[in-house]
Amino acid sequence: MDNPNLKHPSSIFDLLNFRVSEFYGLSGSLVTRLCEGEFGVTREEWQFVAMLAALGCLSPSDLAARTTVDRSQTSKTLRTLLSKELIFRETDRGDARKAKVGLTESGEAFYARVFPRVVAIHKAMLSGLDEHEIEGLANSL
């Protein structure tokens, strides 16, 4: 397939959002297959674990806002992660409606096992680009 004409689109194949969704579909399916197939964790659960590893404890709404997980799916995903003992939930002592979630030791160990594998997928996806192209892509994002 030809390179997309992003400046003057004439078909769906020239639209940036289509190209990005295709790319995400490919990389997302590789990560999903890794997480679900080898570790029994969904893509949404992985996103939460990875976000908590990067940022520390967050409120459930902040966690949802920083990932691609739909807000309606957030509670279910958090309940599953709690049952798998990958995260903990702390309620604010002053306001029981407020809570924060974070990684347990098991969650941190899980992240340490999976993240290098996800990095390998990342590197494979970029393997056809040279350093200049990777830098340009990073700047564009």
Side-chain angles (χ1 to χ4, degrees):
M1 182 175 284
D2 295 332
N3 287 336
N5 185 345
L6 298 177
K7 282 186 162 185
H8 304 287
S10 63
S11 76
I12 190 171
F13 302 106
D14 296 329
L15 299 175
L16 179 61
N17 61 340
F18 178 76
R19 291 298 182 139
V20 168
S21 71
E22 277 190 311
F23 185 76
Y24 179 73
L26 174 61
S27 65
S29 68
L30 293 172
V31 172
T32 299
R33 198 171 19 223
L34 168 70
C35 290
E36 289 180 358
E38 290 189 40
F39 297 100
V41 172
T42 67
R43 186 185 72 211
E44 292 84 4
E45 292 166 2
W46 163 248
Q47 284 185 54
F48 280 10
V49 167
M51 196 62 65
L52 292 170
L55 299 175
C57 292
L58 292 170
S59 71
S61 59
D62 287 341
L63 191 55
R66 291 181 167 271
T67 65
T68 62
V69 178
D70 184 287
R71 282 187 179 266
S72 64
Q73 182 70 19
T74 297
S75 292
K76 179 183 177 208
T77 302
L78 290 174
R79 278 192 306 273
T80 304
L81 287 170
L82 282 165
S83 72
K84 292 177 180 180
E85 300 181 350
L86 295 174
I87 66 167
F88 63 86
R89 184 179 194 276
E90 290 180 348
T91 304
D92 186 309
R93 293 174 200 247
D95 186 348
R97 295 170 298 170
K98 294 182 182 178
K100 295 231 184 247
V101 294
L103 293 180
T104 61
E105 284 185 28
S106 295
E108 290 172 2
F110 169 73
Y111 176 79
R113 282 192 319 271
V114 176
F115 187 69
R117 305 273 304 275
V118 175
V119 169
I121 292 169
H122 163 84
K123 288 181 178 181
M125 301 284 301
L126 296 176
S127 66
L129 303 177
D130 63 30
E131 290 296 320
H132 179 73
E133 291 168 324
I134 293 171
E135 187 177 315
L137 177 60
N139 289 336
S140 295
L141 295 174

